[in-house]
Amino acid sequence: MKKTLFILILGLTFYNCKKELKNQNEKVEIKAEKSETKKELKFSLYNSTEFELRNITVGLPYTSLTYDKLEKQSQTEWTNVKSAYHYGFVRFYDIKNRKYYIQPIDYVGETPFEKGELKFLIKDIDSINQRFELDFEYKNN
């Protein structure tokens, strides 16, 4: 009787220990899944000028974004992109159909952003010379 009781207690103890280990392993796996951060870069374009912009194209690595128009002092919605540099190809037209653009030569030695939020800022439009300044804001979340 004592031997049977001992085996039963030993069996229950072993079962509970195994169950406890299994629960601990499941908890570890869940933590590992939650701790992984998904790489994601969100991109937006902001018109900080007093001009309405039309037929806008933004060229980024692996993607090209187009917008019909962007009102003065307004911003596009955030778009998920694979990567981008702190500058890129930007072309647009003003209400008199004059073309403005910036064409980067290359990105040699540059490191692209691959996560966070990147916003290109169109600033200081010179309508006589059809030039503008392109700036950026970046937040690494």
Side-chain angles (χ1 to χ4, degrees), residues 10-108:
L10 185 62
L12 285 173
T13 304
F14 177 75
Y15 175 78
N16 284 337
C17 288
K18 186 176 176 183
K19 189 175 178 182
E20 184 76 25
L21 278 172
K22 183 179 176 186
N23 288 342
Q24 286 177 352
N25 288 339
E26 286 174 359
K27 288 177 188 173
V28 169
E29 288 175 18
I30 291 170
K31 286 180 185 177
E33 286 178 18
K34 289 182 181 178
S35 68
E36 290 180 23
T37 56
K38 185 177 179 182
K39 279 185 159 183
E40 187 174 271
L41 179 65
K42 294 180 186 258
F43 176 83
S44 183
L45 181 65
Y46 181 72
N47 177 6
S48 71
T49 73
E50 294 301 318
F51 299 97
E52 178 184 293
L53 312 179
R54 297 182 178 179
N55 300 323
I56 306 152
T57 301
V58 178
L60 303 173
Y62 312 107
T63 196
S64 180
L65 304 170
T66 58
Y67 308 97
D68 290 331
K69 70 178 184 175
L70 188 56
E71 300 290 335
K72 59 184 178 180
Q73 301 297 321
S74 66
Q75 180 175 327
T76 65
E77 291 185 19
W78 291 98
T79 303
N80 292 331
V81 296
K82 186 173 180 179
S83 67
Y85 295 93
H86 71 274
Y87 60 96
F89 173 80
V90 177
R91 181 185 65 218
F92 61 87
Y93 297 84
D94 65 15
I95 59 172
K96 293 184 178 178
N97 210 31
R98 291 179 291 213
K99 180 166 87 171
Y100 301 78
Y101 71 96
I102 290 179
Q103 174 70 55
I105 297 169
D106 62 41
Y107 300 106
V108 174

Side-chain angles (χ1 to χ4, degrees), residues 86-87 119-123 132-137:
H86 71 274
Y87 60 96
K119 183 189 325 179
F120 280 3
L121 303 139
I122 295 175
K123 302 164 67 172
F132 66 98
E133 182 183 339
L134 183 64
D135 202 354
F136 76 100
E137 289 179 1

